[in-house]
Amino acid sequence: MPVPCRTGCGNNAVLKRPKTGDALCKECFYWAFETEIHYTITKGELFNKGDSVAIAASGGKDSTVLAYILKTLNTRYDYGLNLMLLSIDEGITGYRDDSLETVKQNRDDYEMPLKILSYKDLYGWTMDEIVAQIGRKNNCTFCGVFRRQALDRGAALLDVKCIATGHNADDIAETVLMNVLRGDIARLKRCTAISTGSEGTIPRVKPLKYTYEKEIVMYAHYKKLVYFSTECVFAPNAYRGHARALLKDMERIRPTCIMDIIYSGETMSVKEQVSLPSQRICSRCNFVSSQEVCKACVLLEGLNKGLPKLGIGKTSKAKKMLEAYNARQMQENSLEQATDLEDTSKSIKDNIKDASNKCNSKNCCSGKCKSDASKQQNGNAKINKLLEQYGLDESPSSQKLNGDLSDDECSGGCGNSSSMPIGF
Amino acid sequence: MICKKCNNDESTVLLRKKDYYCEKCFINNTNHKFRACIGKNKLFSSQENVLVCLSGEEGSTVLLNLISNGLCLENHKKLRINPIFLHLYNNNDIAEKVIEDCKKHDFVVYVVNISDYMSTTIDLPEPNSLPKLNVGTNNTVNIFNNLPATAFNDMFIKIKRTLFIKYAKVLHCNFIFTAETTGSLASSLLSSIALGRGSQVEDDIGFIDNRDDIKIVRPMKDISKEELHFYIKIKKLNIQHHYDMKKNSLQVLINNFVSDLQENFPSTISTVCKTAEKLGVASDNADNESNHKCKICESVLNIPDGRLTALQATDFSRIVSLQKPSKINTHDKNVIKIVQENQHSMFPYISAAKCVKKKGEGVMKIGAVTEDASQNGMPYYDDPKRLGKGEKRQQS
Ligand SMILES: [Zn+2]
Ligand SMILES: [Zn+2]
Ligand SMILES: [Zn+2]
Ligand SMILES: [Zn+2]
């Protein structure tokens, strides 16, 4: 039995909105979805007329929908924004190089200029090489720290007023929970802000802050937007993993909890006694940092000196490690170092082989598990599951599935592929 | 195994999977945690009346025992409070057990009906006896039974708090003790956040609830569930298990999640509790805003400088899902205006079905709000057909 669209437009509904539960037709869903983001942008005062805005584009669903929506709204409501795409190439074989193809497609489809910056160019290391150095733990730390700075550098190059990221409501709710679990008060305070940016950094804004991930997937599906949906690869830290699992379970019982959690984050504040780290400029790279030397520089130094764990733990620990390292340096001769280098390059190969063997395991996928057939299937499975739950069309077989919709989501992924971890 | 404190080699208490204690040291330590919590906050004058709220569950049974032990001590160690006990009647077996426990210690307990929440008059029941059931008021409480499980559990907590304060006044107590432990507080914190009550965690989870003249104190907040269980075992306390929470709710889900953490990542629980103590309300002037608190749940309703919040965004989603695209000119830059023009269909506050902004007979307003909402056929927190509005329910 067809369900009439809730708005009374006369059409039959095709879906039940995950966010509100209303049965809507396609057109009314588009309208609601787009108008809400317009509301967020205007009420949240994210942009000024005439601003240049870089969209942090990963080729994933969030950033693809963000680019499409910003282009649409920019025209419809005459924002007067000068939009461009900014992509970071982490150098993850099979993951990022494929998704960059999608970003290039976005560039052509939406007629926006695209700037790609690579870790290799900026730091001299690709993520593949970093993984080979440090193993599979703490990858997200490196990736997050480097990407945050890479985006800043890219934005500076493009001379934009701000960077729009694809963080959606689910991401933000998850981050609130994560920060509660690990007791990170400073980040808890910041992570629900719709726009962040301290002096010296280019502000980040989140136009999709109140948009449900499920609706983003459905919007992209019905609009037949092209996106790449292999999620990044490296296992998230334990806290994010817990937070994500909890949020998914909660959403099943009470879908509004995503908005409620964000509201909680917005309405609580840190008591005055709690001191937050103050910001200053990194003495090496001149980017904003809370320390004398920024985290990116510390990590980089660790990598370059073969002490990859540097900077992951506490600062005091890092100092000790450096001292020990320098002491050792004095004793070692250059010949030994040369053999070290050989070992390292060998282990890169080992690591790559290792990763490609494990790509069915839950917390692997390393991006190298690119099997097109299974990707396609998984993608269909995901949207089919959503449609089963929220779609109202009687015969699911009549749903034309978007051929471009590939979703090879790694359950151990470090977050949505679109963007850097929130709330640094 | 050797006791960490006294080197006694008959240690049977293993905490956090690594620390062994003998029974004596463990009991001393637990007593100490309880006393330190009250003592270091220097709240009470001597022989202060304290309303001790007993739910009959594990925590409250241990609290009763700790207080009773404290009162028996000699001279400077003696616990100098004058406890009066209160139990909210919800289940016959539990109520009888609480009365029996109190009688054992020569304490007086008042057993009060939950439905007393709806009553404006106060009759103090006979001590140490089950309350008379008042059919009329009992039905009124049934309104809440129609709430989705999560909202019901949330409301139940607010009802209990209101009654504690009401009876503390009647019994001339300036302080109330409740028996939350580390684990239950961690659960409450996560539940509060999941329900949009982040602004209230300071009072709902911290050592003291400061919202009323009568202070609610949580003297067992540093005692873990693990410790609770050893205490009960060693003291051979009789526990009657029961569970107030409605199933299929966020609270139960979160309780299970926290139990899991407790098993596998015990340090996370104390981290979560410490987090709670560092949080406050993001309001311009939270202190003198009593006018702008929800009368029922004490949520702060005015958020600073009208900035965009998830609440407004949710309201907007609701409106926009009910409007035909053609009805509003999408080229109108002031699409925001439609929010203002549609005030009647909005739910301004986080638990709109329950939150009451105006001063007045706050308690009775709940019914009024409920009826209004259903009569207008408005999108309502609790409308089972509107999945996502409140929460999923079985469709019949
Ligand atoms: Zn319609
Ligand atoms: Zn630096
Ligand atoms: Zn001992
Ligand atoms: Zn309220």
Side-chain angles (χ1 to χ4, degrees), chain B residues 3 5-8 22 25:
Chain B
C3 172
K5 268 246 167 80
C6 70
N7 292 330
N8 179 334
C22 69
C25 289

Side-chain angles (χ1 to χ4, degrees), chain B residues 294 297 354-355:
Chain B
C294 170
C297 69
K354 299 180 299 182
C355 286

Side-chain angles (χ1 to χ4, degrees), chain B residues 5 13 15 23-36 62 66 219-220 222-224 227-228 230-231 234:
Chain B
K5 268 246 167 80
V13 180
L15 296 179
E23 293 193 352
K24 189 162 167 269
C25 289
F26 167 75
I27 294 288
N28 279 344
N29 192 39
T30 311
N31 263 306
H32 178 76
K33 276 189 176 180
F34 167 68
R35 297 298 295 271
V62 171
L66 288 167
M220 293 173 62
D222 293 329
I223 296 174
S224 70
E227 291 169 320
L228 212 57
F230 275 115
Y231 192 97
I234 292 166

Side-chain angles (χ1 to χ4, degrees), chain B residues 96-147:
Chain B
E96 280 174 353
K97 185 204 168 261
V98 170
I99 294 173
E100 195 187 305
D101 283 354
C102 287
K103 276 182 177 165
K104 246 185 250 168
H105 295 283
D106 280 330
F107 288 142
V108 165
V109 60
Y110 296 93
V111 182
V112 171
N113 229 310
I114 295 274
S115 63
D116 198 44
Y117 180 69
M118 305 304 278
S119 148
T120 45
T121 60
I122 294 157
D123 338 270
L124 197 61
E126 285 290 308
N128 295 354
S129 65
L130 296 176
K132 286 170 275 181
L133 284 182
N134 184 332
V135 184
T137 50
N138 224 28
N139 283 343
T140 348
V141 168
N142 287 342
I143 293 175
F144 303 123
N145 269 321
N146 297 327
L147 291 172

Side-chain angles (χ1 to χ4, degrees), chain A residues 6 17 21 31 77 256 266 269, chain B residues 193 280 282 310 321 330 386-388:
Chain A
R6 170 90 192 183
R17 286 195 72 182
W31 189 78
Y77 298 106
T256 54
E266 288 168 340
S269 73
Chain B
I193 288 171
S321 295
T330 50
R386 292 176 61 78
L387 198 146

